[in-house]
Amino acid sequence: CSPSHEGPSGGGVKSDLRRKQWTLRRAPWAAARRRKGRLVPGKWRRATRSLRVLNLDKGHLMYYIVESTKSFEQAATDLAAAVVRLGFGVLHVHDLGATLRSKGMAFAEECKVFEVCNPGQAAKVLASDMRVNMALPCRISVYTEKGKTMLGLIKPKQMLALLSQDAALMQVAQEVEDKTIRMIDETK
């Protein structure tokens, strides 16, 4: 549809209601960007472009998840070795399953979250945009789901694209993403 398209046409109260429903259903971000009942074309295009960059409608693409043939403990051990082998370090391992059970929660699954970092790459990211520190370090999870061992992460490049459009930052994020995916692939 074109940027100036306002949805169903026609007059009267029903038509106005349909137009408002269309705006909220098709373009909720544009509801506040209306002037005299019309979408402001330039702002509509920017909002649409931003949504395409963010892939909000395809959030599942931000994950990289694979099933492992190994046991949970073996996959966790092998992941720690792969992290070091590929030039990263394990800063901390959060055993979420054990923590939840120790707090009295009924949690049958296993879940360990590895915080991994490469100091050189982290320094480049922070030099580009210090605010991105809140997205560091990278996290790789080993968990069980319905009896299967899974490994996964949120892709660094797509996550950082939500925070910055800096080309240098995107290059570093792609390098980190390639390495972290390789860690998972070597572990599975």
Side-chain angles (χ1 to χ4, degrees):
C1 73
S2 69
S4 61
H5 184 69
E6 293 181 5
S9 60
V13 175
K14 281 188 175 181
S15 179
D16 289 342
L17 179 60
R18 271 188 257 128
R19 186 176 298 118
K20 286 178 185 174
Q21 288 171 341
W22 182 88
T23 299
L24 292 174
R25 188 173 60 248
R26 302 279 190 218
W29 63 87
R33 308 225 189 288
R34 297 177 65 81
R35 184 183 307 143
K36 296 182 183 174
R38 300 187 64 129
L39 290 173
V40 180
K43 291 181 181 179
W44 191 91
R45 277 195 293 271
R46 280 193 297 276
T48 304
R49 190 174 328 128
S50 296
L51 287 176
R52 267 188 258 123
V53 168
L54 299 179
N55 282 324
L56 291 179
D57 60 330
K58 299 176 182 173
H60 64 281
L61 297 177
M62 289 187 67
Y63 296 103
Y64 181 78
I65 301 171
V66 299
E67 183 178 345
S68 175
T69 57
K70 300 176 181 176
S71 70
F72 171 77
E73 287 302 327
Q74 187 62 52
T77 301
D78 291 353
L79 177 61
V83 168
V84 173
R85 190 171 49 255
L86 290 170
F88 282 62
V90 177
L91 302 177
H92 190 73
V93 179
H94 300 277
D95 190 339
L96 296 182
T99 301
L100 290 172
R101 286 186 290 277
S102 75
K103 303 293 182 189
M105 301 292 138
F107 188 74
E109 302 289 355
E110 296 291 336
C111 181
K112 288 187 178 180
V113 179
F114 289 72
E115 291 186 342
V116 302
C117 184
N118 177 295
Q121 300 289 43
K124 289 179 192 175
V125 168
L126 296 175
S128 175
D129 187 346
M130 189 62 187
R131 297 172 299 173
V132 178
N133 74 76
M134 294 172 248
L136 300 179
C138 295
R139 290 164 188 82
I140 303 175
S141 296
V142 179
Y143 60 98
T144 60
E145 188 172 45
K146 299 177 184 172
K148 298 177 183 176
T149 301
M150 310 295 285
L151 294 110
L153 58 81
I154 294 176
K155 294 179 181 177
K157 184 175 180 186
Q158 292 195 11
M159 182 176 58
L160 292 181
L162 296 171
L163 306 173
S164 174
Q165 295 300 314
D166 185 302
L169 183 62
M170 291 300 105
Q171 175 63 34
V172 173
Q174 184 63 57
E175 292 169 10
V176 170
E177 184 173 306
D178 293 343
K179 286 270 181 113
T180 53
I181 287 175
R182 188 170 158 200
M183 291 171 199
I184 289 176
D185 289 344
E186 288 184 9
T187 300
K188 69 177 179 180

